[in-house]
Amino acid sequence: MAITREQKEAQVKSLTEKMQTASSVVFAHYIGLNVADVSDLRSKLREANAEMHVAKKTLMSIAAKQAGMPDFDATELEGPVSVIFSFDDPLSGAQTAFKFSKDHDQVALIGGVFDGKLMTKEQAVAFAKMPSRDELLATFVGML
């Protein structure tokens, strides 16, 4: 069923607001997950103060332009894509999705935006593997 223009405008407005308030944005594939797995991923992201949304890539691109983010080509993102917003810790959403992908091959990070710059797939995976601020502080205290 096609969505109306008003629904699309509401989605763009919501995505724009989230992109403006998020500390990082990561794009991921999710196709092949059953409903229970998607719900599990969303709940784990919520615990990490992150959110996952699914929208048309063209709407994501319009929202990114309106939010003042770097322009990404929606055609470069193949297949259905979800967008993961991290709000407090920029690494939280990416790390949660990356950890979830170890048990679920269907989830794969495919890029993102951090600090006003686009990330490639490889950069998004490296971003997700970085230790969090708390882990770095604990390591530093342990060294002292």
Side-chain angles (χ1 to χ4, degrees):
M1 183 173 147
I3 61 175
T4 65
R5 181 173 179 86
E6 291 80 23
Q7 290 171 321
K8 289 179 183 178
E9 288 172 354
Q11 260 191 332
V12 168
K13 182 179 178 187
S14 173
L15 287 170
T16 301
E17 290 171 357
K18 292 192 184 305
M19 286 183 180
Q20 288 173 332
T21 58
S23 55
S24 71
V25 177
V26 177
F27 303 108
H29 285 297
Y30 64 95
I31 292 301
L33 289 178
N34 60 37
V35 176
D37 289 339
V38 171
S39 296
D40 185 34
L41 175 58
R42 286 179 192 248
S43 68
K44 288 180 180 181
L45 286 167
R46 255 190 309 276
E47 290 171 8
N49 198 18
E51 293 180 17
M52 180 177 94
H53 291 276
V54 178
K56 289 184 155 219
K57 291 179 280 194
T58 52
L59 297 180
M60 286 186 217
S61 180
I62 293 168
K65 286 178 190 173
Q66 290 180 2
M69 297 179 93
D71 190 24
F72 65 90
D73 187 6
T75 58
E76 290 177 6
L77 304 175
E78 295 181 18
V81 175
S82 66
V83 59
I84 299 171
F85 303 103
S86 300
F87 295 107
D88 288 338
D89 181 8
L91 298 172
S92 64
Q95 287 177 337
T96 303
F98 184 73
K99 288 176 188 171
F100 191 82
S101 72
K102 290 181 180 180
D103 296 328
H104 301 85
D105 295 339
Q106 301 91 337
V107 178
L109 301 179
I110 56 173
V113 179
F114 176 67
D115 199 26
K117 296 180 182 141
L118 287 174
M119 291 188 290
T120 64
K121 177 181 180 176
E122 294 79 18
Q123 290 170 328
V125 171
F127 185 69
K129 290 180 179 179
M130 263 192 244
S132 69
R133 181 177 187 274
D134 292 338
E135 291 173 29
L136 289 173
L137 287 174
T139 303
F140 179 70
V141 168
M143 289 174 25
L144 292 177

